[in-house]
Amino acid sequence: GQSLEQPSEVTAVEGAIVQINCTYQTSGFYGLSWYQQHDGGAPTFLSYNALDGLEETGRFSSFLSRSDSYGYLLLQELQMKDSASYFCAVRDHQAGTALIFGKGTTLSVSS
Amino acid sequence: EAQVTQNPRYLITVTGKKLTVTCSQNMNHEYMSWYRQDPGLGLRQIYYSMNVEVTDKGDVPEGYKVSRKEKRNFPLILESPSPNQTSLYFCASSRRTAQETQYFGPGTRLLVL
């Protein structure tokens, strides 16, 4: 089967840097995605890593290590609007073309 | 404007009364999917479709049906809803595959009494 583990909550202050980790267990692997969801809203795509290394998009970066079955989302220069839930997701070969999401990390940014 | 729409946005119903939640996308996407979201459980995939007339089960398909007769539409059908199907439902679409950027609809809050 497949499983993803990520912390349930993270807190930080404005301007800080925070890292949200995700470890996964899959029988096959096609890449790690990250989504952001504000309270009551629809998830929105942030990033996708298929290969090892760091992908940077503005204040957000995502990292993948396939040998460690591990990835993280790095948020820099935190702003209040970054308070949201963040989900990692994988496509598992055994699950066909289904996308499996972690249970989410709630990030609270305070001033 | 490129978007995924769902209707209704809110629905209260009673056990056993068949209902359909519609989903439509205007981006000519091949891949469409339904998720349910429950507190502490994240997003769980119900069904997905790779293209017209091609559908497959996700993680939690029991109690649900889908159809994909046209590329743009992917309705979710609950033939006999039960209280454990009370949830927040999201429809999503992407160009071809699950790991590409998925665009989510605004969600449908369903309460089954």
Side-chain angles (χ1 to χ4, degrees), chain B residues 62-107:
Chain B
E62 295 77 21
Y64 304 95
K65 282 175 59 176
V66 293
S67 69
R68 186 93 182 271
K69 293 183 171 54
E70 307 164 279
K71 200 171 188 178
R72 62 183 295 128
N73 296 322
F74 190 45
L76 180 70
I77 303 155
L78 285 73
E79 294 268 2
S80 182
S82 61
N84 64 13
Q85 291 179 298
T86 291
S87 188
L88 175 59
Y89 292 87
F90 287 103
C91 178
S93 74
S94 59
R95 195 170 60 89
R96 284 192 309 115
T97 63
Q99 67 261 38
E100 294 178 76
T101 304
Q102 289 204 39
Y103 296 86
F104 283 76

Side-chain angles (χ1 to χ4, degrees), chain A residues 61-98:
Chain A
S61 304
S62 57
F63 172 82
L64 175 66
S65 169
R66 287 174 296 171
S67 60
D68 296 322
S69 298
Y70 164 76
Y72 65 73
L73 180 69
L74 190 73
L75 299 86
Q76 302 181 75
E77 299 171 27
L78 281 175
Q79 302 175 11
M80 298 288 284
K81 67 178 182 179
D82 297 328
S83 292
S85 291
Y86 294 84
F87 296 88
C88 56
V90 296
R91 179 187 155 198
D92 184 306
H93 176 73
Q94 191 172 41
T97 56

Side-chain angles (χ1 to χ4, degrees), chain A residues 29 33 43 49-50 52-53 55 57 64 70-71 86 89 95 98 105 108-109:
Chain A
F29 179 74
S33 302
N49 295 65
D52 292 351
E55 296 274 346
T57 309
L64 175 66
Y70 164 76
Y86 294 84
T105 298
S108 300
V109 181

Side-chain angles (χ1 to χ4, degrees), chain A residues 2 30-31 33 35 37 40-45 48 87 91 95-104, chain B residues 31 35 37 40-43 45 48 50 57-59 88 90 97-102 104-106 109:
Chain A
Q2 60 281 333
Y30 288 91
S33 302
Y35 284 79
Q37 184 183 30
T44 55
F45 174 83
Y48 171 66
F87 296 88
R91 179 187 155 198
T97 56
L99 193 64
I100 312 298
F101 283 81
K103 293 181 180 177
Chain B
Y31 185 95
Y35 298 89
Q37 186 172 31
L41 296 178
L43 288 150
Q45 193 169 40
Y48 62 92
M50 294 294 291
K57 297 177 180 178
D59 260 357
L88 175 59
F90 287 103
T97 63
Q99 67 261 38
E100 294 178 76
T101 304
Q102 289 204 39
F104 283 76
R109 287 197 177 273

Side-chain angles (χ1 to χ4, degrees), chain B residues 1-14:
Chain B
E1 181 192 351
Q3 60 182 350
V4 178
T5 57
Q6 295 177 226
N7 281 292
R9 295 289 315 279
Y10 304 90
L11 180 60
I12 301 174
T13 190
V14 294

